[in-house]
Structures are given as C-alpha cells and as structure tokens.
Amino acid sequence: FDPRHCLGTHCYGFPKTGPHRLRFLLESVKDLRETLKKKGSSLVVRRGKPEDVVRDLITQLGSVSAVAFHEEVREI
C-alpha cells in the first residue's frame, strides 16, 4: 500500500483513497490472501513507497529474475 494514495489529488484536493475505497481495498486483499492460502500459496503485503518496498523485497528474496508492475495513469 502506497501511503501517497491517501494524500489529496492535485486537481481538487480530494483524497485518492477515501475511507470507503480503503475499506474495499482491505477487504479485497484479505479475500485474495484467503483464496491464495486455500490453494497453498501466500500473499506479501507491505506499506510504503513501491520503489522502496519492491527493492527491499528483491533484496530479501535474493532469487528474483523478473518484476512486473502497473503504473497509474497520471492526469495532465
């Protein structure tokens, strides 16, 4: 979870992630974790800037050969 998503937008000042969206995200991640657990897998969840968190995870795991990500489209 990127804490910057709780900051206001640059156009209107509304938070990118308000309380209802945050609840939905948390419930969705919880459900995904439970589904993966039933299939014998797991889910790593971290809070912080993705550029820092991903780097730290790669360092901890040590055997990462590829990383895929999605970048949010920014308003002009």
Side-chain angles (χ1 to χ4, degrees), residues 52-64:
D52 298 331
V53 172
V54 172
R55 182 193 63 231
D56 294 345
L57 282 173
I58 291 170
T59 301
Q60 288 173 7
L61 295 172
S63 62
V64 176

Side-chain angles (χ1 to χ4, degrees), residues 4-64:
R4 294 173 291 194
H5 284 204
C6 295
L7 302 175
T9 61
H10 62 273
C11 290
Y12 301 105
F14 295 111
K16 290 181 179 181
T17 306
H20 300 293
R21 184 175 184 192
L22 180 59
R23 179 180 299 133
F24 173 78
L25 288 171
L26 293 173
E27 290 173 355
S28 298
V29 169
K30 180 180 177 184
D31 183 65
L32 177 59
R33 175 177 269 156
E34 291 170 2
T35 300
L36 290 170
K37 186 176 179 179
K38 289 177 186 175
K39 297 182 179 288
S41 190
S42 63
L43 178 66
V44 175
V45 179
R46 296 287 186 267
R47 182 179 184 277
K49 294 179 180 179
E51 57 270 24
D52 298 331
V53 172
V54 172
R55 182 193 63 231
D56 294 345
L57 282 173
I58 291 170
T59 301
Q60 288 173 7
L61 295 172
S63 62
V64 176

